[in-house]
């Protein structure tokens, strides 16, 4: 299959998703709506709102010009076809879509092991892809056990990554471990910037590697404006799974007399760890910007994104 056919199929998927956003009740979306309902029933973290957010994000990067510009940087026409096994994560809806897209657009065969947490949405999208380009039917394979593959992409926790390295180390591979995102504040942020930071923290219940799980703040930082900006996300507490986490960690902090701030739906705690539990946001105070940059660079393999409005030179990070 030539590259134009591949790109065309993905741009048709973009058009399909954009139509869905405008008129989701149309008959052509029956299968996608069924997949959304199944995903919601199977995984309480996958609310309809979060699923729609993921679908919209996928549609946003399936722009034909963007795809062509991206692929033009690679020599793909004469590459031998390979079977690429992909072990997919399930922390947020359709998080494995981009890996699947990369395998197919590069002209290879996708052999995917779905996460049990996200078993319905990606197959619904790949079915549409195969309708738009029938040659994809033989290039999209879902399996419970990876075998007969030439390369591997695997995403998991730090613990599972060790097993992936053991089993797949002899193959060409990309193995991802835990990563977290951070925000660096200086106390001069506007209310709109703080509200946008709230989205980075609360979207998908904070389960994505791009969700901010830790703040770096200057000495004498006033949390008042920050917590006020977060109030617009208070509806997150309506999720019983999220609120159960909030109450659990609140009880621990109260019993152990751990200092923290409490919004009624988020606990903010000073802690050196980049990773924070669900419903908890860590922060750390910095006094020297140079030392802060050194610390961040020393943890670059643990950090996915850095959110800030400051002009920080973090060259050296991936």
């Amino acid at each position: 299959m030539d590259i134009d056919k591949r790109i065309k199929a993905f741009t048709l998927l973009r058009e399909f998703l954009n139509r869905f956003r405008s008129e989701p009740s149309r008959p052509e979306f029956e299968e996608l709506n069924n997949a959304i309902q199944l995903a919601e029933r199977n995984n309480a973290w996958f609310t309809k709102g979060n699923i729609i957010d993921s679908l919209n994000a996928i549609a946003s990067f399936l722009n034909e010009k963007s795809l062509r510009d991206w692929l033009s940087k690679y020599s793909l026409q004469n590459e031998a076809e390979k079977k690429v096994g992909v072990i997919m994560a399930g922390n947020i809806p359709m998080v494995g879509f981009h890996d699947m897209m990369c395998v197919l657009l590069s002209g290879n065969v996708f052999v995917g092991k779905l996460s049990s947490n996200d078993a319905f949405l990606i197959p619904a999208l790949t079915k549409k892809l195969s309708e738009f380009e029938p040659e994809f039917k033989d290039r999209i394979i879902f399996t419970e056990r990876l075998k007969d593959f030439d390369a591997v992409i695997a995403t998991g926790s730090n613990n599972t990554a060790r097993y992936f390295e053991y089993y797949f180390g002899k193959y060409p591979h990309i193995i991802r471990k835990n990563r977290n995102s951070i925000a660096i504040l200086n106390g001069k942020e506007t209310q709109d910037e703080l509200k946008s930071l709230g989205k980075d923290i609360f979207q998908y219940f904070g389960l994505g590697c791009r969700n901010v799980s830790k703040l770096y703040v200057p000495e004498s930082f006033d949390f008042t404006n920050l917590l006020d900006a977060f109030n617009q996300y208070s509806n997150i507490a309506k999720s019983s799974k999220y609120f159960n986490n909030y109450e659990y960690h609140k009880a621990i902090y109260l019993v152990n007399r751990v200092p923290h701030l409490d919004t009624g739906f988020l606990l903010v705690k000073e802690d050196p760890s980049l990773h924070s539990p669900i419903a908890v946001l860590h922060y750390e105070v910095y006094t020297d910007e140079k030392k802060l940059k050194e610390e961040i660079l020393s943890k670059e393999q643990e950090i996915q994104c850095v959110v800030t409005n400051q002009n920080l030179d973090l060259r050296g990070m991936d």
Side-chain angles (χ1 to χ4, degrees), residues 94-242:
M94 295 164 287
V95 69
F97 180 90
H98 193 272
D99 284 342
M100 181 270 293
M101 180 184 76
C102 289
V103 172
L104 295 177
L105 284 177
S106 60
N108 295 299
V109 175
F110 168 81
V111 183
K113 184 182 187 307
L114 292 165
S115 166
S116 60
N117 290 327
D118 190 6
F120 304 103
L121 297 167
I122 288 178
L125 296 186
T126 55
K127 185 175 181 183
K128 295 307 298 183
L129 269 178
S130 296
E131 291 176 15
F132 298 142
E133 178 46 69
E135 287 189 52
F136 272 143
K137 286 182 180 178
D138 296 327
R139 293 170 173 266
I140 300 173
I141 302 165
F142 292 106
T143 181
E144 286 298 313
R145 185 180 179 87
L146 288 187
K147 57 183 180 180
D148 301 326
F149 53 85
D150 303 300
V152 175
I153 301 172
T155 304
S157 67
N158 290 346
N159 286 333
T160 55
R162 287 196 289 269
Y163 291 101
F164 292 156
E165 290 281 1
Y166 176 79
Y167 286 110
F168 304 128
K170 64 182 178 181
Y171 300 95
H173 61 269
I174 297 171
I175 295 176
R176 303 191 190 94
K177 302 177 182 179
N178 285 344
R179 286 201 179 209
N180 295 277
S181 294
I182 63 171
I184 302 171
L185 307 183
N186 61 11
K188 300 178 183 178
E189 289 76 18
T190 67
Q191 202 68 1
D192 284 342
E193 288 173 331
L194 295 176
K195 288 177 180 178
S196 295
L197 173 60
K199 183 176 181 179
D200 291 333
I201 292 166
F202 294 107
Q203 190 173 36
Y204 306 119
F205 299 107
L207 292 168
C209 62
R210 291 178 179 271
N211 285 111
V212 170
S213 57
K214 180 172 180 177
L215 308 178
Y216 286 90
V217 301
E219 280 188 303
S220 303
F221 180 79
D222 185 355
F223 281 89
T224 304
N225 288 338
L226 179 72
L227 300 185
D228 284 347
F230 288 173
N231 280 332
Q232 72 178 79
Y233 301 97
S234 60
N235 281 343
I236 197 171
K238 292 181 179 179
S239 163
S240 59
K241 286 180 75 71
Y242 178 91

Side-chain angles (χ1 to χ4, degrees), residues 6 36 42 99 102 105 188 225 231 246 253 270 285:
R6 289 177 247 153
I36 291 171
N42 181 65
D99 284 342
C102 289
L105 284 177
K188 300 178 183 178
N225 288 338
N231 280 332
Y246 162 80
Y253 296 161
E270 187 169 10
V285 175

Side-chain angles (χ1 to χ4, degrees), residues 245-256:
N245 278 272
Y246 162 80
E247 288 192 311
Y248 171 78
H249 293 293
K250 178 177 179 176
I252 290 175
Y253 296 161
L254 289 174
V255 168
N256 293 318

